[in-house]
């Protein structure tokens, strides 16, 4: 197998994004750039120089229709596949779009199938009461921790104490179960209808107080450029990025905070 350079890895990730965007348009699905990918589009007009992943989001209606389409045929344009815990080919509660031509190093992924991927996050409804929001995010955060522990490797951690604690907690997480955790996360994230509450955000994988928009704001879209391609995103991208990264999101962070996945991949 041929190992891909960092530049080639980014090109393959971009190809997944471009092909998935075309697939969404063909199937009348709404897909937006979000998180670090949107920040990259606004600040760098492409990848954040030290970053090497792509994040997109979809309103729950589009997201669930994507799941329904993928249940019939999860592969599109020959090389691209929709993987999800519901299909038994991912450990995560959100969709990933993978390139079947690639192979990832096992240390960089915890999926059944380790390919280069982009993440697709559903955007769900939130209660308009802050106390209820906090309770919802706390429940989801707890189950997310259980989920990650359920397929974590014993002995890994940033400190000795964390390594020991993780080793003790992994058996309990496995007892709770990967499938149960994913089903609970999916159910909890869909607890509220955003058309009824008027609020929408990344409930499933986000943090409390971030990535929360009104429905009116969310569904008003605009175009941004990413690596010479044009994609959709929220028209209120400035509010979104400020909420997620702070008022100084256009400033380049110090090298100590320039974190990437250091992805290693090969062509099969």
């Amino acid at each position: 197998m041929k190992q891909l350079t960092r530049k080639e890895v980014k090109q393959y990730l971009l190809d997944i994004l471009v092909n998935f965007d075309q697939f969404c348009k063909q199937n009348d699905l709404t897909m937006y750039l979000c998180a670090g990918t949107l920040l990259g589009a606004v600040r760098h007009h492409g990848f954040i120089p030290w970053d090497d992943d792509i994040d997109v989001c979809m309103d729950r209606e589009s997201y669930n229709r994507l799941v329904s389409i993928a249940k019939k045929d999860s592969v599109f344009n020959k090389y691209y596949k929709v993987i999800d815990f519901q299909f038994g080919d991912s450990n995560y509660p959100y969709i990933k779009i993978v390139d079947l031509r690639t192979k990832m190093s096992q240390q960089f992924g915890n999926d059944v199938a380790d390919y280069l991927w982009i993440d697709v996050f559903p955007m769900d409804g939130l209660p308009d009461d802050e106390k209820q929001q906090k309770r919802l995010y706390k429940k989801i955060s707890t189950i997310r921790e259980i989920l990650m522990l359920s397929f974590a490797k014993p002995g890994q951690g940033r400190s000795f104490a964390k390594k020991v604690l993780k080793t003790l907690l992994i058996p309990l997480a496995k007892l709770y179960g990967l499938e149960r955790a994913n089903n609970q996360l999916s159910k909890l994230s869909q607890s509220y209808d955003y058309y009824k509450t008027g609020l929408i955000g990344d409930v499933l994988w986000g943090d409390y107080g971030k990535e929360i928009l009104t429905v009116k704001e969310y569904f008003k879209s605009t175009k941004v450029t990413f690596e010479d391609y044009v994609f959709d995103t929220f028209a209120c991208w400035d509010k979104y990025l400020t909420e997620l990264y702070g008022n100084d999101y256009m400033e380049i962070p110090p090298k100590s905070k320039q974190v990437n996945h250091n992805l290693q991949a090969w062509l099969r």
Side-chain angles (χ1 to χ4, degrees):
M1 294 188 292
K2 175 186 179 294
Q3 185 168 2
L4 298 174
T5 64
R6 188 178 177 191
K7 183 178 180 180
E8 289 171 332
V9 165
K10 287 188 175 183
Q11 185 58 56
Y12 274 86
L13 293 175
L14 179 62
D15 289 345
I16 299 173
L17 176 62
V18 170
N19 278 273
F20 181 54
D21 184 55
Q22 292 171 350
F23 175 83
C24 287
K25 286 179 168 59
Q26 290 165 2
N27 289 278
D28 195 28
L29 303 172
T30 301
M31 182 272 284
Y32 288 162
L33 299 192
C34 68
T37 305
L38 177 55
L39 176 60
V42 171
R43 194 169 68 192
H44 305 277
H45 305 295
F47 283 99
I48 294 173
W50 55 89
D51 201 8
D52 49 15
D53 71 344
I54 289 179
D55 298 324
V56 302
C57 65
M58 305 178 78
D59 61 274
R60 178 59 74 167
E61 288 175 294
S62 291
Y63 186 94
N64 284 348
R65 282 197 287 124
L66 172 60
V67 172
S68 296
I69 293 169
K71 281 181 179 178
K72 297 175 184 177
D73 187 1
S74 61
V75 178
F76 61 95
N77 291 7
K78 295 183 181 181
Y79 307 118
Y80 307 102
K81 184 178 182 182
V82 181
I83 69 171
D84 185 75
F85 81 94
Q86 298 178 66
F87 306 152
D89 50 13
S90 176
N91 290 335
Y92 292 90
Y94 53 84
I95 285 169
K96 290 175 181 280
I97 311 298
V98 303
D99 187 330
L100 298 173
R101 296 170 295 180
T102 63
K103 171 68 177 176
M104 287 287 298
S105 170
Q106 288 291 329
Q107 75 182 88
F108 296 99
N110 289 301
D111 288 306
V112 177
D114 287 317
Y115 308 99
L116 279 176
W117 77 91
I118 68 171
D119 292 322
V120 184
F121 300 103
M123 297 292 275
D124 289 297
L126 287 141
D128 52 16
D129 180 82
E130 288 189 8
K131 289 183 180 179
Q132 291 179 349
Q133 285 183 18
K134 287 180 180 179
R135 282 197 292 268
L136 177 61
Y137 274 93
K138 187 174 182 180
K139 287 180 182 178
I140 287 177
S141 177
T142 299
I143 299 175
R144 279 204 315 241
E145 289 294 329
I146 294 172
L147 173 73
M148 300 304 288
L149 283 168
S150 69
F151 56 80
K153 296 176 181 178
Q156 291 185 341
R158 294 183 179 180
S159 67
F160 177 74
K162 287 185 177 180
K163 289 179 182 179
V164 172
L165 183 62
K166 186 178 285 189
T167 300
L168 294 173
L169 292 176
I170 285 174
L172 297 176
K174 289 184 179 296
L175 187 63
Y176 189 90
L178 181 67
E179 183 177 0
R180 182 182 176 189
N182 273 320
N183 284 324
Q184 278 291 99
L185 286 170
S186 181
K187 183 179 178 180
L188 281 170
S189 65
Q190 298 179 70
S191 298
Y192 295 89
D193 183 338
Y194 43 74
Y195 287 119
K196 292 181 179 179
T197 67
L199 295 176
I200 185 171
D202 184 2
V203 181
L204 179 69
W205 212 249
D207 296 321
Y208 171 72
K210 297 182 178 180
E211 298 181 88
I212 299 174
L213 303 169
T214 67
V215 170
K216 185 176 180 180
E217 287 172 330
Y218 181 87
F219 285 103
K220 185 177 181 181
S221 66
T222 191
K223 305 287 185 182
V224 289
T225 300
F226 186 90
E227 300 294 342
D228 296 324
Y229 290 91
V230 176
F231 300 97
D232 292 320
T233 193
F234 342 92
C236 61
W237 53 264
D238 179 63
K239 173 186 175 180
Y240 170 88
L241 290 174
T242 299
E243 195 175 77
L244 189 56
Y245 298 109
N247 293 321
D248 59 349
Y249 69 81
M250 289 298 288
E251 296 181 13
I252 304 298
K255 286 193 175 294
S256 60
K257 294 186 177 181
Q258 295 179 10
V259 181
N260 63 49
H261 295 86
N262 291 314
L263 297 180
Q264 292 183 17
W266 294 260
L267 284 182
R268 293 176 182 274

